[in-house]
Amino acid sequence: MGLFAALSNSISGASAQSLALNNISGNIANTQTAGFKTTETSFADMLGRTEGGTQPAGGVAPSTRNTLGIQGTVQSTGVSTNLAISGNGYFIVRENTGTPQSPNFTGETGYTRRGDFAPDANGYLANGAGYYLFAGPSATAPVQVPTGTNTLSSLAVSPAGTLTGTGADGSPVALGSLTLAQFGMQDNLASLDGGTYVATGKSGTPSYGLNGATLTAGSVEQSNAGISDQFSKMIETQQAYTANTKVMSTADQMLQDAIAMYT
């Protein structure tokens, strides 16, 4: 059974490296996506059947995880309504399940680090993925800024999360207070599209507050995917995949040789 096991192991190895390459390609594609968190691949060995007191090597089982705890670089954008988080926490967001003329925000609550917020036609702040910013868990409408002739020229966030804008005419505009959602087990959040996550039983329910995090207006948190790092992982993955395919072809040839001996 040794050759069949070798063939099975190499197939599992190639399959695992294929998953790793898929994750790497997604990371590279999103190196310029605000708030993006890389998807990393990890591997666990699968034990082969024990024979005569020995433990033969087995195959491999891949798994993935998001690097939610790794901060991206905060970069100034010059867009007054952009917001960046330094430290732990997530913006509270929801989708508009209605229409632009008759918005509806009663859908599922999401959490994101993507802070490239800009006002829609109603002045509601939505990020580039279409998720609307809510000041807190009990808010019934998104954060809204003035539109028209008195649009914001700047936005300031206090250490307590108080939002204060400056209109085009120089007048102050009070926009309320913004809080963040905090999770003790953030790695167990479930992913949606657009860099948004939802709570799960394993992540637990969120607590709210800044808890040492700071908010910077006019900036966004960049992707934590680095091109050079991802290219290095891609080369390693390619080499591992190629090695597994060589094991496949070698095991296949040896099996053919063995069969030929009996024909």
Side-chain angles (χ1 to χ4, degrees):
M1 295 297 292
L3 289 178
F4 289 106
L7 190 59
S8 175
N9 292 345
S10 61
I11 290 172
S12 75
S15 177
Q17 297 305 323
S18 296
L19 176 62
L21 184 61
N22 176 72
N23 292 333
I24 291 168
S25 68
N27 295 338
I28 291 175
N30 284 282
T31 53
Q32 302 302 311
T33 302
F36 177 78
K37 303 298 181 183
T38 58
T39 300
E40 300 297 327
T41 311
S42 58
F43 305 93
D45 62 316
M46 297 189 296
L47 296 180
R49 187 175 65 180
T50 301
E51 298 175 354
T54 63
Q55 179 58 65
V60 62
S63 61
T64 61
R65 66 179 182 86
N66 290 312
T67 57
L68 297 179
I70 300 178
Q71 172 90 39
T73 302
V74 173
Q75 181 175 1
S76 175
T77 62
V79 179
S80 62
T81 53
N82 286 176
L83 294 168
I85 302 171
S86 296
N88 294 324
Y90 296 83
F91 297 112
I92 302 167
V93 294
R94 296 190 184 100
E95 281 189 288
N96 177 13
T97 56
T99 65
Q101 296 74 27
S102 181
N104 186 327
F105 303 103
T106 58
E108 187 174 32
T109 299
Y111 308 95
T112 187
R113 300 276 297 193
R114 180 167 183 166
D116 55 341
F117 297 107
D120 69 1
N122 300 307
Y124 294 133
L125 294 186
N127 67 16
Y131 288 90
Y132 285 76
L133 174 66
F134 282 73
S138 60
T140 57
V143 175
Q144 189 175 31
V145 300
T147 58
T149 58
N150 197 33
T151 57
L152 294 184
S153 61
S154 65
L155 180 67
V157 187
S158 77
T162 301
L163 297 173
T164 305
T166 302
D169 60 1
S171 61
V173 181
L175 299 173
S177 294
L178 183 68
T179 192
L180 300 177
Q182 308 273 350
F183 291 89
M185 299 291 287
Q186 64 178 346
D187 287 341
N188 292 314
L189 292 169
S191 300
L192 300 178
D193 62 351
T196 302
Y197 306 89
V198 292
T200 66
K202 291 183 178 180
S203 70
T205 56
S207 58
Y208 299 99
L210 297 186
N211 296 332
T214 58
L215 296 171
T216 305
S219 302
V220 295
E221 179 186 356
Q222 295 294 300
S223 169
N224 68 358
I227 286 287
S228 59
D229 177 58
Q230 295 301 317
F231 263 82
S232 296
K233 291 180 179 179
M234 182 172 63
I235 293 170
E236 293 175 359
T237 300
Q238 181 185 25
Q239 291 175 337
Y241 183 88
T242 300
N244 278 285
T245 59
K246 287 182 177 178
V247 172
M248 280 187 223
S249 61
T250 300
D252 179 64
Q253 184 61 54
M254 292 174 70
L255 282 168
Q256 291 185 45
D257 292 344
I259 293 171
M261 292 173 61
Y262 295 95
T263 59

